Amino acid sequence: MKLLAPSILAGDWWNIGEQIEATIRGGADLLHYDVMDGHFVPNITAGYEILSQIRKRVSLPIDAHLMIENPDKYIPKFVEAGANWISVHIENNPHIHRTIQLIKELGAKAGVVVNPGTSLSLIEEILHYVDYVLLMSVNPGFSGQKFIERSLERLRTLKEMRDAINPECLIEIDGGIKESNIKEVVLAGADVVVVGSGIFSAKDIEAQTRKLKNLMLEAVSV
Ligand code: DX5
Ligand code: ZN
């Protein structure tokens, strides 16, 4: 399964409804929704109330990437607002098992997120329990950053770990992915690819989404 997830944070929020619809026409599989609190990461974005407005108008799954302190406090609100996938970082969570169970009990898919500077060995245990691992290929906080090349090697390592420990688990990659490297990340093991500026900076968002989705499918058809 190869899924494309536009990161709507990178969109033009004056026209976000139209832009989301364009990505859906272009073949988007889920919407990636970045939540930042100004503490865990040096930026602030939108919360669960705005997510619920999107939910009312869109039937695609919404993938909420929580870059926040105290995620357990807010997870029920995000599920209630309509998030279908929820991911939380390993770096600020000594009770990751509890958090992952909470997300699952509430009926959402549960993911763990790993920053570029975090050893993959830290997620070895929780890999048994998650529905997906989100590998960051930039430091979280902003869209439009450059892809960290070592992420390809990390993807390959993570794929080996996933195949051995939990073959059902999906691997998602997030940060700096564009036309120029989307095939490479799929070939290295990504099942779900998040693209922000690589979609929303295009003039024709629908065509750009379709182009990226086709590149992902081409990568696996050879
Ligand atoms: C970064 C976010 C990403 C980001 C992706 O903290 O988690 O989802 O919006 O944007 P691009 O694809 O532009 O790097
Ligand atoms: Zn993200």
Side-chain angles (χ1 to χ4, degrees), residues 12-174:
D12 164 11
W13 279 76
W14 185 255
N15 296 305
I16 199 66
E18 267 171 45
Q19 295 198 339
I20 289 174
E21 282 170 0
T23 67
I24 296 172
R25 288 193 302 274
D29 299 287
L30 65 161
L31 297 180
H32 185 82
Y33 184 88
D34 287 306
V35 183
M36 306 185 189
D37 67 352
H39 293 278
F40 180 61
V41 286
N43 195 0
I44 300 177
T45 56
Y48 47 84
E49 286 176 0
I50 291 181
L51 190 151
S52 77
Q53 294 181 26
I54 298 168
R55 170 77 301 152
K56 282 182 197 136
R57 293 164 177 87
V58 171
S59 61
L60 234 53
I62 298 176
D63 165 31
H65 172 191
L66 304 188
M67 289 161 271
I68 62 175
E69 299 293 353
N70 299 319
D72 293 23
K73 184 172 166 192
Y74 300 100
I75 284 164
K77 296 279 191 191
F78 278 97
V79 175
E80 202 183 318
N84 310 84
W85 297 31
I86 297 188
S87 60
V88 290
H89 277 257
I90 186 81
E91 292 82 9
N92 64 342
N93 198 332
H95 306 293
I96 190 74
H97 182 271
R98 179 186 293 153
T99 306
I100 293 296
Q101 296 310 319
L102 172 66
I103 298 170
K104 288 181 155 183
E105 278 160 22
L106 292 169
K109 278 190 188 296
V112 65
V113 194
V114 198
N115 278 340
T118 303
S119 170
L120 290 174
S121 61
L122 280 191
I123 59 156
E124 202 176 324
E125 190 53 36
I126 201 66
L127 191 48
H128 291 262
Y129 303 94
V130 291
D131 296 301
Y132 62 108
V133 174
L134 172 46
L135 186 73
M136 292 306 300
S137 39
V138 298
N139 286 296
F142 304 93
S143 25
Q145 301 181 77
K146 192 175 174 311
F147 182 81
I148 298 170
E149 285 299 325
R150 228 193 88 70
S151 310
L152 290 172
E153 191 52 39
R154 279 161 65 77
L155 265 178
R156 287 188 276 269
T157 307
L158 177 57
K159 185 175 185 304
E160 275 175 26
M161 287 168 67
R162 185 277 307 272
D163 291 350
I165 296 175
N166 181 359
E168 301 293 301
C169 170
L170 297 175
I171 297 175
E172 180 172 16
I173 181 113
D174 183 8

